[in-house]
């Protein structure tokens, strides 16, 4: 099981996708959901760690031209430009990369730690269906935002 998610730093809203494998299509679907939810935004900034898929040409090519001043780190055998046509209507997303040596400042990492503490560490069965349901329920509780979550991830003080 893999989970990709975006956390709104002002409301505590979580947009998440769970799949057996989290690749480019899951990530693009998540980005489209975020853009649909914030359709009034001219630009959406998404802070990400250095998981190479975040910076794959097939992802970056679907976004508006990036303003990030440094090259994205990807495996040398990956394409530099997306195959086929680039996005006719690019998603209004700007990627902000965290330094490779410092993934911990990202509040999403604190959300993952919270998920592990509250749900994943309790799982003892060999049947993973209940775990998937518990992960979904945990993330769904933040679908409308959460001040509690913002405090847990350090974005809101008491």
């Amino acid at each position: 099981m893999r989970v990709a998610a975006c956390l709104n730093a002002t409301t505590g809203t979580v947009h998440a996708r769970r799949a057996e494998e989290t690749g480019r299509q899951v990530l693009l679907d998540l980005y489209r959901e975020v853009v649909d939810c914030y359709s009034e935004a001219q630009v959406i900034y998404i802070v990400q760690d250095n998981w190479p898929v975040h910076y794959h040409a097939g992802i970056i090519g679907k976004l508006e031209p990036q303003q990030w001043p440094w090259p994205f780190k990807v495996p040398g055998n990956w394409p530099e430009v997306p195959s086929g046509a680039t996005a006719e209507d690019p998603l209004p997303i700007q990627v902000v990369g965290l330094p490779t040596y410092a993934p911990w400042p990202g509040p999403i990492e604190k959300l993952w730690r919270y998920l592990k503490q509250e749900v994943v560490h309790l799982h003892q069965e060999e049947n993973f269906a209940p775990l998937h349901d518990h992960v979904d329920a945990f993330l769904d509780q933040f679908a409308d935002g959460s001040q509690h979550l913002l405090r847990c991830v350090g974005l809101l003080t008491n």
Side-chain angles (χ1 to χ4, degrees), residues 16-85:
R17 292 269 195 257
R18 180 180 56 77
E20 290 302 314
E21 292 186 18
T22 306
R24 294 187 314 247
Q25 190 58 52
V26 171
L27 202 54
L28 282 170
D29 290 345
L30 176 62
Y31 288 169
R32 287 185 185 103
E33 176 183 330
V34 169
V35 168
D36 288 347
C37 288
Y38 305 102
S39 58
E40 71 286 351
Q42 293 180 355
V43 178
I44 299 169
Y45 293 90
I46 297 183
V47 178
Q48 301 181 139
D49 63 13
N50 289 282
W51 184 37
V53 171
H54 288 150
Y55 308 108
H56 190 279
I59 299 278
I60 298 298
K62 302 287 185 189
L63 309 179
E64 68 178 22
Q66 297 296 293
Q67 303 301 314
W68 188 246
W70 298 282
F72 296 125
K73 185 162 177 60
V74 296
N77 62 340
W78 280 15
E80 291 184 25
V81 294
S83 60

Side-chain angles (χ1 to χ4, degrees), residues 70-131:
W70 298 282
F72 296 125
K73 185 162 177 60
V74 296
N77 62 340
W78 280 15
E80 291 184 25
V81 294
S83 60
T86 58
E88 292 177 17
D89 190 18
L91 298 172
I93 291 175
Q94 285 290 318
V95 172
V96 178
L98 290 173
T100 55
Y101 55 85
W104 58 88
I108 199 76
E109 298 300 330
K110 294 174 185 173
L111 172 61
W112 298 141
R113 183 178 66 211
Y114 185 27
L115 171 66
K116 289 175 188 173
Q117 290 171 340
E118 296 295 316
V119 177
V120 177
H121 86 281
L122 299 173
H123 181 74
Q124 297 177 359
E125 302 173 28
E126 290 186 23
N127 178 1
F128 286 98
L131 176 62

